[in-house]
Amino acid sequence: MEAEMESSVLTTKVVVLNPEGLHARPADLLVRTAARFAADVQLAKDGQWVDCKSILSILTLGAEQGTALDVAASGDDAGDALAAIVELFARGFYENHEPAPPA
Amino acid sequence: MKFSDFISVKAIRSDLASQDKPGVIAELVQSLVDAGEIQADTKADIIAAILKREELGSTGIGRGVAVPHTKHASVDKLIGTVGVSSGGVDFSSLDAEKVQLFFLLISPPERPGDHLRALESITRQLRDDTFCRFLKQARSVDDIRQLLEEADNHQFMG
């Protein structure tokens, strides 16, 4: 499933830092975070793009600790969406800092 | 990872009787005890751990599917079962839909990769509407077993 690449697509790379990888709870946090923005947000592992607003799709990536992912966002608030997603990865989805902040 | 790598066929339930989250989880964990996959004396602890995980956020991931799970030191390999509820159960799912299809997973504490690969297999297959619908409509353990086998043989990948 290829993302629809609009003219103003912002992209960046993130790495899965938390030891447990992108399991259900981080995926839920990603969806809740992406859903705060109007922007279309997509994640990719090895060129396989999935909707960052669908937990089912995110879980199909099976991304373990150390996996590099591409993130692409398009829309008016794409920059803010991308920053929020990058922050989540950088903080390892708060897995060592329970409880996670409200998304 | 294939379903046959972690789903205990003997523990599959095609006719879950429970009407709520704790009931469904207890029923599925009991099915793993009955199948000889986990020890009876770990049951209460495992049920409590799965319910505690649900408190952090429902594992109802949408499409009428939930993946209740926990780590537990008593298992030395990832083990799981499948349950179908024809009427559906309120699982506080992310999309607020009732859940008809359950994949319950118990994994060893130090094997997060196996858990991720099981989630990957389940969600990849469930993206196929036909597979997802057939599983929810399955009315016998044999129907479910056959659907999982066909998925393992890539008959739904398309």
Side-chain angles (χ1 to χ4, degrees), chain A residues 20 22-25 28 32 48 55-56 59-60 62-64, chain B residues 53 56 61 63 71 94 112-113 116-117 119-120 123-124 127:
Chain A
E20 314 242 316
L22 212 45
H23 60 105
R25 198 142 29 95
D28 181 24
R32 287 173 195 272
Q48 177 201 346
I55 186 167
L56 197 94
L59 291 176
T60 65
E64 294 187 53
Chain B
R53 164 62 185 86
L56 297 173
I61 55 176
R63 285 201 165 199
K71 296 172 196 158
L94 306 175
L116 278 179
R117 278 186 287 277
L119 287 177
E120 178 184 348
T123 51
R124 276 177 189 269
R127 280 201 306 192

Side-chain angles (χ1 to χ4, degrees), chain A residues 12-99:
Chain A
T12 188
K13 283 186 187 296
V14 290
V15 175
V16 179
L17 296 177
N18 53 311
E20 314 242 316
L22 212 45
H23 60 105
R25 198 142 29 95
D28 181 24
L29 203 48
L30 269 174
V31 170
R32 287 173 195 272
T33 302
R36 282 167 24 208
F37 303 94
D40 176 66
V41 186
Q42 307 263 336
L43 274 179
K45 179 181 143 190
D46 302 328
Q48 177 201 346
W49 288 94
V50 299
D51 183 357
C52 194
K53 295 181 182 179
S54 159
I55 186 167
L56 197 94
S57 298
I58 293 173
L59 291 176
T60 65
L61 296 176
E64 294 187 53
Q65 183 183 31
T67 305
L69 301 173
D70 293 297
V71 193
S74 57
D76 288 345
D77 53 3
D80 291 340
L82 215 57
I85 300 291
V86 166
E87 167 97 1
L88 276 183
F89 277 92
R91 292 185 177 272
F93 299 95
Y94 303 92
E95 294 221 294
N96 297 315
H97 304 274
E98 301 289 350

